[in-house]
Amino acid sequence: EPLSAPNVLALMEALAALGDRAGALRVAAVHASLLAREFEAEPDAQITALADALRRAPASTASAPADETTTSGARPAAAPAAAAPPAPG
């Protein structure tokens, strides 16, 4: 649902967590465009804040959350652990 702020925010967070900052920003832009066209309304403050943060963040850290939780309060998925190097010998 592209007009649902909670759904849009969750999708943006998921895309950003996967490193797709451009995709997250596209979702925000489509959401803003639909709100403006259909309701002459502005996006939710959380969506605007996340989009602004994604625009400001360096490319290498754009998907890194500021803390252990996302803006919706959900905990991000844990990254897979790196494989240990083989034991010598």
Side-chain angles (χ1 to χ4, degrees), residues 5-76:
N7 289 348
V8 168
L9 186 61
L11 179 56
M12 289 175 66
E13 289 173 339
L15 290 169
L18 292 171
D20 188 0
R21 178 171 61 169
L25 290 170
R26 274 192 304 274
V27 168
V30 168
H31 176 70
S33 176
L34 288 172
L35 284 176
R37 186 177 71 219
E38 299 293 326
F39 303 109
E40 297 181 9
E42 297 288 322
D44 185 82
Q46 287 182 303
I47 292 171
T48 302
L50 178 55
D52 290 344
L54 290 170
R55 283 186 204 98
R56 285 191 312 266
S60 62
T61 61
S63 64
D67 62 16
E68 290 291 319
T69 60
T70 62
T71 56
S72 66
R75 292 188 95 45

Short mmCIF file of all heavy atoms in Angstrom, two decimals, residues 5-76:
data_model
loop_
_atom_site.label_atom_id
_atom_site.label_comp_id
_atom_site.label_asym_id
_atom_site.label_seq_id
_atom_site.Cartn_x
_atom_site.Cartn_y
_atom_site.Cartn_z
N ALA A 5 1.75 5.14 5.55
CA ALA A 5 3.02 5.59 6.11
C ALA A 5 3.78 4.47 6.82
O ALA A 5 4.99 4.33 6.60
CB ALA A 5 2.79 6.78 7.04
N PRO A 6 3.13 3.65 7.67
CA PRO A 6 3.90 2.58 8.32
C PRO A 6 4.49 1.58 7.32
O PRO A 6 5.63 1.14 7.50
CB PRO A 6 2.87 1.89 9.23
CG PRO A 6 1.83 2.94 9.47
CD PRO A 6 1.77 3.74 8.20
N ASN A 7 3.75 1.26 6.27
CA ASN A 7 4.27 0.33 5.26
C ASN A 7 5.42 0.94 4.48
O ASN A 7 6.43 0.27 4.21
CB ASN A 7 3.16 -0.09 4.29
CG ASN A 7 2.15 -1.00 4.93
OD1 ASN A 7 2.35 -1.52 6.03
ND2 ASN A 7 1.03 -1.19 4.26
N VAL A 8 5.28 2.20 4.12
CA VAL A 8 6.34 2.89 3.38
C VAL A 8 7.59 2.98 4.24
O VAL A 8 8.70 2.71 3.77
CB VAL A 8 5.85 4.28 2.91
CG1 VAL A 8 7.01 5.13 2.40
CG2 VAL A 8 4.78 4.12 1.84
N LEU A 9 7.44 3.34 5.49
CA LEU A 9 8.59 3.44 6.40
C LEU A 9 9.28 2.09 6.55
O LEU A 9 10.52 2.01 6.47
CB LEU A 9 8.14 3.97 7.76
CG LEU A 9 9.25 4.26 8.76
CD1 LEU A 9 10.20 5.32 8.24
CD2 LEU A 9 8.65 4.70 10.09
N ALA A 10 8.52 1.04 6.73
CA ALA A 10 9.10 -0.30 6.87
C ALA A 10 9.85 -0.71 5.60
O ALA A 10 10.94 -1.29 5.68
CB ALA A 10 8.01 -1.32 7.20
N LEU A 11 9.27 -0.42 4.44
CA LEU A 11 9.94 -0.76 3.18
C LEU A 11 11.22 0.05 3.01
O LEU A 11 12.26 -0.50 2.61
CB LEU A 11 8.99 -0.53 2.00
CG LEU A 11 9.56 -0.82 0.61
CD1 LEU A 11 10.09 -2.24 0.51
CD2 LEU A 11 8.50 -0.55 -0.45
N MET A 12 11.17 1.32 3.33
CA MET A 12 12.37 2.15 3.24
C MET A 12 13.47 1.61 4.15
O MET A 12 14.64 1.54 3.76
CB MET A 12 12.05 3.59 3.61
CG MET A 12 11.23 4.35 2.59
SD MET A 12 10.80 6.00 3.18
CE MET A 12 12.42 6.78 3.27
N GLU A 13 13.11 1.25 5.38
CA GLU A 13 14.10 0.72 6.33
C GLU A 13 14.68 -0.59 5.82
O GLU A 13 15.89 -0.82 5.93
CB GLU A 13 13.46 0.54 7.70
CG GLU A 13 13.16 1.84 8.39
CD GLU A 13 12.37 1.68 9.67
OE1 GLU A 13 11.70 0.64 9.85
OE2 GLU A 13 12.40 2.61 10.49
N ALA A 14 13.84 -1.44 5.26
CA ALA A 14 14.32 -2.73 4.74
C ALA A 14 15.28 -2.51 3.57
O ALA A 14 16.35 -3.14 3.51
CB ALA A 14 13.15 -3.60 4.31
N LEU A 15 14.92 -1.64 2.66
CA LEU A 15 15.80 -1.36 1.52
C LEU A 15 17.12 -0.75 1.98
O LEU A 15 18.19 -1.13 1.50
CB LEU A 15 15.10 -0.43 0.52
CG LEU A 15 13.94 -1.06 -0.25
CD1 LEU A 15 13.14 0.01 -0.98
CD2 LEU A 15 14.45 -2.12 -1.20
N ALA A 16 17.06 0.18 2.91
CA ALA A 16 18.28 0.80 3.43
C ALA A 16 19.16 -0.24 4.12
O ALA A 16 20.38 -0.23 3.96
CB ALA A 16 17.94 1.94 4.38
N ALA A 17 18.54 -1.13 4.87
CA ALA A 17 19.31 -2.18 5.57
C ALA A 17 20.00 -3.12 4.59
O ALA A 17 21.06 -3.66 4.88
CB ALA A 17 18.39 -2.97 6.50
N LEU A 18 19.41 -3.27 3.40
CA LEU A 18 20.02 -4.11 2.35
C LEU A 18 21.04 -3.34 1.52
O LEU A 18 21.64 -3.89 0.61
CB LEU A 18 18.93 -4.67 1.44
CG LEU A 18 17.99 -5.68 2.08
CD1 LEU A 18 16.83 -6.00 1.15
CD2 LEU A 18 18.75 -6.94 2.45
N GLY A 19 21.22 -2.06 1.85
CA GLY A 19 22.18 -1.25 1.13
C GLY A 19 21.60 -0.56 -0.10
O GLY A 19 22.34 0.03 -0.88
N ASP A 20 20.29 -0.62 -0.28
CA ASP A 20 19.64 0.01 -1.44
C ASP A 20 19.09 1.38 -1.05
O ASP A 20 17.89 1.59 -0.93
CB ASP A 20 18.52 -0.90 -1.97
CG ASP A 20 17.94 -0.41 -3.28
OD1 ASP A 20 18.38 0.64 -3.80
OD2 ASP A 20 17.01 -1.07 -3.79
N ARG A 21 20.01 2.30 -0.85
CA ARG A 21 19.62 3.65 -0.47
C ARG A 21 18.79 4.31 -1.56
O ARG A 21 17.79 4.96 -1.28
CB ARG A 21 20.87 4.48 -0.16
CG ARG A 21 20.54 5.91 0.20
CD ARG A 21 21.72 6.66 0.72
NE ARG A 21 22.79 6.77 -0.24
CZ ARG A 21 23.84 7.55 -0.09
NH1 ARG A 21 23.97 8.27 0.99
NH2 ARG A 21 24.77 7.61 -1.00
N ALA A 22 19.17 4.12 -2.82
CA ALA A 22 18.42 4.71 -3.93
C ALA A 22 16.99 4.17 -3.97
O ALA A 22 16.05 4.92 -4.21
CB ALA A 22 19.14 4.45 -5.25
N GLY A 23 16.84 2.88 -3.73
CA GLY A 23 15.51 2.29 -3.71
C GLY A 23 14.65 2.85 -2.59
O GLY A 23 13.47 3.14 -2.78
N ALA A 24 15.25 3.03 -1.43
CA ALA A 24 14.52 3.60 -0.29
C ALA A 24 14.09 5.03 -0.59
O ALA A 24 12.97 5.43 -0.28
CB ALA A 24 15.39 3.56 0.96
N LEU A 25 14.96 5.79 -1.24
CA LEU A 25 14.63 7.16 -1.60
C LEU A 25 13.55 7.21 -2.69
O LEU A 25 12.70 8.10 -2.68
CB LEU A 25 15.87 7.93 -2.02
CG LEU A 25 16.85 8.23 -0.88
CD1 LEU A 25 18.16 8.77 -1.42
CD2 LEU A 25 16.23 9.18 0.13
N ARG A 26 13.57 6.25 -3.61
CA ARG A 26 12.51 6.18 -4.63
C ARG A 26 11.16 5.91 -4.00
O ARG A 26 10.15 6.51 -4.37
CB ARG A 26 12.82 5.08 -5.66
CG ARG A 26 13.70 5.52 -6.80
CD ARG A 26 13.74 4.51 -7.93
NE ARG A 26 14.17 3.19 -7.49
CZ ARG A 26 15.44 2.80 -7.40
NH1 ARG A 26 16.41 3.63 -7.73
NH2 ARG A 26 15.75 1.58 -7.00
N VAL A 27 11.12 5.00 -3.02
CA VAL A 27 9.88 4.70 -2.31
C VAL A 27 9.34 5.96 -1.64
O VAL A 27 8.15 6.27 -1.73
CB VAL A 27 10.09 3.57 -1.28
CG1 VAL A 27 8.91 3.44 -0.35
CG2 VAL A 27 10.34 2.25 -2.00
N ALA A 28 10.22 6.72 -1.00
CA ALA A 28 9.81 7.97 -0.35
C ALA A 28 9.28 8.97 -1.36
O ALA A 28 8.27 9.64 -1.11
CB ALA A 28 10.98 8.57 0.43
N ALA A 29 9.94 9.06 -2.51
CA ALA A 29 9.51 10.02 -3.54
C ALA A 29 8.16 9.65 -4.12
O ALA A 29 7.29 10.52 -4.31
CB ALA A 29 10.56 10.10 -4.64
N VAL A 30 7.94 8.37 -4.38
CA VAL A 30 6.64 7.92 -4.91
C VAL A 30 5.55 8.18 -3.87
O VAL A 30 4.47 8.67 -4.20
CB VAL A 30 6.70 6.42 -5.31
CG1 VAL A 30 5.30 5.87 -5.57
CG2 VAL A 30 7.58 6.24 -6.53
N HIS A 31 5.83 7.86 -2.62
CA HIS A 31 4.87 8.09 -1.54
C HIS A 31 4.51 9.58 -1.45
O HIS A 31 3.32 9.93 -1.40
CB HIS A 31 5.48 7.61 -0.22
CG HIS A 31 4.64 7.86 0.98
ND1 HIS A 31 3.46 7.19 1.22
CD2 HIS A 31 4.82 8.70 2.03
CE1 HIS A 31 2.95 7.62 2.37
NE2 HIS A 31 3.75 8.53 2.87
N ALA A 32 5.50 10.44 -1.48
CA ALA A 32 5.26 11.89 -1.40
C ALA A 32 4.45 12.37 -2.59
O ALA A 32 3.53 13.18 -2.44
CB ALA A 32 6.58 12.64 -1.31
N SER A 33 4.77 11.86 -3.77
CA SER A 33 4.06 12.25 -4.97
C SER A 33 2.59 11.82 -4.92
O SER A 33 1.69 12.60 -5.27
CB SER A 33 4.75 11.63 -6.20
OG SER A 33 4.03 11.91 -7.37
N LEU A 34 2.34 10.60 -4.48
CA LEU A 34 0.96 10.11 -4.36
C LEU A 34 0.17 10.90 -3.33
O LEU A 34 -0.99 11.25 -3.57
CB LEU A 34 0.95 8.62 -4.00
CG LEU A 34 1.36 7.67 -5.12
CD1 LEU A 34 1.50 6.25 -4.57
CD2 LEU A 34 0.36 7.71 -6.26
N LEU A 35 0.78 11.17 -2.19
CA LEU A 35 0.09 11.96 -1.16
C LEU A 35 -0.26 13.36 -1.67
O LEU A 35 -1.37 13.85 -1.43
CB LEU A 35 0.96 12.09 0.10
CG LEU A 35 1.04 10.87 1.00
CD1 LEU A 35 2.01 11.15 2.14
CD2 LEU A 35 -0.32 10.50 1.54
N ALA A 36 0.68 13.97 -2.37
CA ALA A 36 0.44 15.31 -2.89
C ALA A 36 -0.68 15.30 -3.93
O ALA A 36 -1.58 16.15 -3.91
CB ALA A 36 1.73 15.88 -3.50
N ARG A 37 -0.64 14.32 -4.82
CA ARG A 37 -1.64 14.25 -5.89
C ARG A 37 -3.03 13.88 -5.38
O ARG A 37 -4.02 14.48 -5.75
CB ARG A 37 -1.19 13.25 -6.96
CG ARG A 37 -2.12 13.23 -8.17
CD ARG A 37 -1.65 12.29 -9.25
NE ARG A 37 -1.84 10.93 -8.79
CZ ARG A 37 -1.00 9.94 -9.01
NH1 ARG A 37 0.12 10.15 -9.66
NH2 ARG A 37 -1.25 8.72 -8.59
N GLU A 38 -3.10 12.88 -4.51
CA GLU A 38 -4.39 12.36 -4.06
C GLU A 38 -5.01 13.19 -2.93
O GLU A 38 -6.23 13.31 -2.86
CB GLU A 38 -4.24 10.91 -3.58
CG GLU A 38 -3.77 9.95 -4.65
CD GLU A 38 -4.79 9.75 -5.77
OE1 GLU A 38 -6.01 9.78 -5.49
OE2 GLU A 38 -4.35 9.58 -6.92
N PHE A 39 -4.18 13.71 -2.03
CA PHE A 39 -4.71 14.36 -0.83
C PHE A 39 -4.16 15.76 -0.56
O PHE A 39 -4.50 16.36 0.45
CB PHE A 39 -4.41 13.49 0.40
CG PHE A 39 -4.95 12.11 0.30
CD1 PHE A 39 -4.09 11.03 0.13
CD2 PHE A 39 -6.31 11.86 0.36
CE1 PHE A 39 -4.59 9.73 0.03
CE2 PHE A 39 -6.81 10.58 0.27
CZ PHE A 39 -5.95 9.52 0.09
N GLU A 40 -3.27 16.24 -1.44
CA GLU A 40 -2.59 17.51 -1.20
C GLU A 40 -1.98 17.53 0.21
O GLU A 40 -2.10 18.49 0.96
CB GLU A 40 -3.54 18.69 -1.40
CG GLU A 40 -4.06 18.80 -2.82
CD GLU A 40 -4.99 19.97 -3.04
OE1 GLU A 40 -5.13 20.83 -2.15
OE2 GLU A 40 -5.59 20.03 -4.12
N ALA A 41 -1.31 16.43 0.55
CA ALA A 41 -0.73 16.24 1.88
C ALA A 41 0.77 15.99 1.77
O ALA A 41 1.28 15.63 0.71
CB ALA A 41 -1.40 15.07 2.58
N GLU A 42 1.44 16.16 2.89
CA GLU A 42 2.88 15.92 3.00
C GLU A 42 3.12 14.54 3.62
O GLU A 42 2.28 14.04 4.37
CB GLU A 42 3.51 16.98 3.91
CG GLU A 42 3.40 18.40 3.37
CD GLU A 42 4.30 18.64 2.19
OE1 GLU A 42 5.43 18.11 2.17
OE2 GLU A 42 3.87 19.35 1.26
N PRO A 43 4.28 13.94 3.36
CA PRO A 43 4.61 12.66 4.01
C PRO A 43 4.75 12.81 5.52
O PRO A 43 4.99 13.89 6.04
CB PRO A 43 5.96 12.28 3.40
CG PRO A 43 6.10 13.12 2.19
CD PRO A 43 5.29 14.35 2.41
N ASP A 44 4.62 11.69 6.21
CA ASP A 44 4.81 11.60 7.64
C ASP A 44 6.21 12.10 8.01
O ASP A 44 7.16 11.93 7.23
CB ASP A 44 4.65 10.13 8.05
CG ASP A 44 4.70 9.91 9.53
OD1 ASP A 44 3.68 10.12 10.18
OD2 ASP A 44 5.80 9.53 10.01
N ALA A 45 6.35 12.69 9.17
CA ALA A 45 7.64 13.23 9.61
C ALA A 45 8.73 12.16 9.67
O ALA A 45 9.89 12.43 9.35
CB ALA A 45 7.50 13.90 10.97
N GLN A 46 8.37 10.93 10.05
CA GLN A 46 9.38 9.86 10.13
C GLN A 46 9.90 9.50 8.74
O GLN A 46 11.09 9.22 8.57
CB GLN A 46 8.80 8.62 10.79
CG GLN A 46 8.60 8.74 12.28
CD GLN A 46 8.07 7.45 12.86
OE1 GLN A 46 7.03 6.97 12.44
NE2 GLN A 46 8.80 6.90 13.81
N ILE A 47 9.03 9.51 7.75
CA ILE A 47 9.45 9.20 6.38
C ILE A 47 10.38 10.29 5.87
O ILE A 47 11.43 10.01 5.29
CB ILE A 47 8.22 9.02 5.47
CG1 ILE A 47 7.48 7.75 5.88
CG2 ILE A 47 8.63 8.98 4.00
CD1 ILE A 47 6.14 7.55 5.23
N THR A 48 9.99 11.54 6.11
CA THR A 48 10.82 12.66 5.69
C THR A 48 12.18 12.62 6.39
O THR A 48 13.22 12.83 5.76
CB THR A 48 10.10 13.99 5.99
OG1 THR A 48 8.85 13.98 5.30
CG2 THR A 48 10.93 15.18 5.54
N ALA A 49 12.19 12.33 7.68
CA ALA A 49 13.45 12.27 8.44
C ALA A 49 14.36 11.15 7.93
O ALA A 49 15.57 11.34 7.78
CB ALA A 49 13.16 12.09 9.93
N LEU A 50 13.78 9.98 7.65
CA LEU A 50 14.60 8.88 7.15
C LEU A 50 15.14 9.21 5.76
O LEU A 50 16.32 8.96 5.49
CB LEU A 50 13.78 7.58 7.11
CG LEU A 50 14.51 6.34 6.57
CD1 LEU A 50 15.81 6.08 7.33
CD2 LEU A 50 13.60 5.13 6.61
N ALA A 51 14.32 9.77 4.90
CA ALA A 51 14.79 10.15 3.57
C ALA A 51 15.92 11.18 3.67
O ALA A 51 16.94 11.06 2.98
CB ALA A 51 13.64 10.68 2.73
N ASP A 52 15.76 12.16 4.54
CA ASP A 52 16.81 13.17 4.73
C ASP A 52 18.10 12.53 5.24
O ASP A 52 19.20 12.86 4.77
CB ASP A 52 16.35 14.25 5.71
CG ASP A 52 15.26 15.15 5.14
OD1 ASP A 52 15.05 15.15 3.90
OD2 ASP A 52 14.62 15.85 5.94
N ALA A 53 17.97 11.62 6.18
CA ALA A 53 19.16 10.93 6.72
C ALA A 53 19.85 10.10 5.65
O ALA A 53 21.08 10.08 5.57
CB ALA A 53 18.76 10.05 7.90
N LEU A 54 19.07 9.44 4.81
CA LEU A 54 19.65 8.64 3.73
C LEU A 54 20.35 9.52 2.71
O LEU A 54 21.39 9.14 2.17
CB LEU A 54 18.58 7.79 3.05
CG LEU A 54 18.02 6.64 3.88
CD1 LEU A 54 16.80 6.03 3.21
CD2 LEU A 54 19.09 5.59 4.14
N ARG A 55 19.81 10.68 2.45
CA ARG A 55 20.44 11.60 1.50
C ARG A 55 21.76 12.15 2.06
O ARG A 55 22.71 12.37 1.31
CB ARG A 55 19.52 12.78 1.19
CG ARG A 55 18.43 12.44 0.23
CD ARG A 55 17.63 13.70 -0.16
NE ARG A 55 16.32 13.31 -0.60
CZ ARG A 55 15.22 13.32 0.15
NH1 ARG A 55 15.26 13.75 1.39
NH2 ARG A 55 14.07 12.93 -0.34
N ARG A 56 21.82 12.38 3.36
CA ARG A 56 23.02 12.96 3.99
C ARG A 56 24.11 11.93 4.25
O ARG A 56 25.29 12.29 4.31
CB ARG A 56 22.65 13.61 5.33
CG ARG A 56 21.93 14.91 5.22
CD ARG A 56 21.83 15.61 6.57
NE ARG A 56 21.38 14.73 7.64
CZ ARG A 56 20.12 14.60 8.03
NH1 ARG A 56 19.17 15.27 7.44
NH2 ARG A 56 19.80 13.79 9.01
N ALA A 57 23.75 10.69 4.45
CA ALA A 57 24.72 9.67 4.85
C ALA A 57 25.68 9.35 3.71
O ALA A 57 25.28 9.28 2.56
CB ALA A 57 23.98 8.40 5.27
N PRO A 58 26.95 9.16 4.05
CA PRO A 58 27.90 8.69 3.03
C PRO A 58 27.44 7.34 2.50
O PRO A 58 26.81 6.56 3.21
CB PRO A 58 29.22 8.55 3.80
CG PRO A 58 29.03 9.29 5.07
CD PRO A 58 27.56 9.33 5.35
N ALA A 59 27.76 7.06 1.27
CA ALA A 59 27.31 5.82 0.62
C ALA A 59 27.71 4.58 1.41
O ALA A 59 26.95 3.63 1.50
CB ALA A 59 27.86 5.74 -0.79
N SER A 60 28.87 4.58 2.02
CA SER A 60 29.33 3.39 2.73
C SER A 60 28.59 3.15 4.04
O SER A 60 28.58 2.04 4.54
CB SER A 60 30.83 3.48 3.01
OG SER A 60 31.09 4.60 3.84
N THR A 61 27.96 4.19 4.60
CA THR A 61 27.27 4.01 5.88
C THR A 61 25.78 4.28 5.78
O THR A 61 25.09 4.32 6.78
CB THR A 61 27.86 4.95 6.95
OG1 THR A 61 27.68 6.30 6.51
CG2 THR A 61 29.31 4.65 7.22
N ALA A 62 25.25 4.43 4.57
CA ALA A 62 23.85 4.79 4.40
C ALA A 62 22.90 3.76 4.99
O ALA A 62 21.84 4.09 5.48
CB ALA A 62 23.53 4.99 2.92
N SER A 63 23.30 2.50 4.98
CA SER A 63 22.39 1.48 5.47
C SER A 63 22.63 1.13 6.94
O SER A 63 21.91 0.35 7.51
CB SER A 63 22.50 0.22 4.62
OG SER A 63 23.78 -0.34 4.75
N ALA A 64 23.65 1.70 7.54
CA ALA A 64 23.94 1.39 8.94
C ALA A 64 23.00 2.17 9.85
O ALA A 64 22.91 3.38 9.75
CB ALA A 64 25.39 1.75 9.27
N PRO A 65 22.27 1.47 10.71
CA PRO A 65 21.37 2.18 11.62
C PRO A 65 22.15 2.97 12.65
O PRO A 65 23.27 2.62 13.00
CB PRO A 65 20.57 1.06 12.28
CG PRO A 65 21.38 -0.17 12.11
CD PRO A 65 22.22 0.03 10.87
N ALA A 66 21.55 4.06 13.12
CA ALA A 66 22.20 4.91 14.10
C ALA A 66 22.35 4.19 15.43
O ALA A 66 23.26 4.47 16.19
CB ALA A 66 21.41 6.21 14.28
N ASP A 67 21.43 3.29 15.74
CA ASP A 67 21.53 2.51 16.96
C ASP A 67 20.98 1.12 16.69
O ASP A 67 20.87 0.72 15.55
CB ASP A 67 20.80 3.20 18.12
CG ASP A 67 19.31 3.36 17.86
OD1 ASP A 67 18.77 2.70 16.95
OD2 ASP A 67 18.68 4.14 18.58
N GLU A 68 20.64 0.39 17.71
CA GLU A 68 20.20 -1.00 17.56
C GLU A 68 18.77 -1.16 17.06
O GLU A 68 18.35 -2.26 16.75
CB GLU A 68 20.36 -1.75 18.89
CG GLU A 68 21.79 -1.98 19.28
CD GLU A 68 22.47 -2.98 18.36
OE1 GLU A 68 21.84 -4.00 18.00
OE2 GLU A 68 23.62 -2.74 17.98
N THR A 69 18.00 -0.08 16.98
CA THR A 69 16.63 -0.20 16.50
C THR A 69 16.41 0.70 15.31
O THR A 69 17.13 1.67 15.11
CB THR A 69 15.61 0.18 17.60
OG1 THR A 69 15.85 1.53 17.98
CG2 THR A 69 15.69 -0.74 18.79
N THR A 70 15.42 0.37 14.49
CA THR A 70 15.07 1.19 13.34
C THR A 70 14.12 2.28 13.81
O THR A 70 13.66 2.27 14.95
CB THR A 70 14.38 0.33 12.27
OG1 THR A 70 13.19 -0.21 12.83
CG2 THR A 70 15.29 -0.80 11.79
N THR A 71 13.77 3.21 12.92
CA THR A 71 12.89 4.29 13.32
C THR A 71 11.49 3.81 13.66
O THR A 71 10.77 4.48 14.36
CB THR A 71 12.81 5.38 12.22
OG1 THR A 71 12.38 4.76 11.01
CG2 THR A 71 14.14 6.08 12.04
N SER A 72 11.11 2.63 13.18
CA SER A 72 9.79 2.11 13.52
C SER A 72 9.82 1.34 14.84
O SER A 72 8.80 0.86 15.30
CB SER A 72 9.27 1.20 12.41
OG SER A 72 10.08 0.04 12.31
N GLY A 73 11.01 1.21 15.44
CA GLY A 73 11.12 0.51 16.71
C GLY A 73 11.49 -0.96 16.56
O GLY A 73 11.74 -1.65 17.53
N ALA A 74 11.53 -1.46 15.32
CA ALA A 74 11.87 -2.86 15.09
C ALA A 74 13.38 -3.04 15.16
O ALA A 74 14.14 -2.15 14.82
CB ALA A 74 11.36 -3.31 13.73
N ARG A 75 13.82 -4.19 15.62
CA ARG A 75 15.24 -4.47 15.64
C ARG A 75 15.65 -4.97 14.27
O ARG A 75 14.98 -5.78 13.67
CB ARG A 75 15.56 -5.51 16.70
CG ARG A 75 15.32 -4.95 18.11
CD ARG A 75 15.80 -5.88 19.17
NE ARG A 75 17.11 -5.70 19.73
CZ ARG A 75 17.71 -4.60 20.13
NH1 ARG A 75 17.15 -3.46 19.94
NH2 ARG A 75 18.88 -4.62 20.69
N PRO A 76 16.77 -4.47 13.72
CA PRO A 76 17.21 -4.93 12.40
C PRO A 76 17.65 -6.39 12.45
O PRO A 76 18.05 -6.90 13.50
CB PRO A 76 18.39 -4.01 12.08
CG PRO A 76 18.84 -3.48 13.39
CD PRO A 76 17.63 -3.48 14.31
#
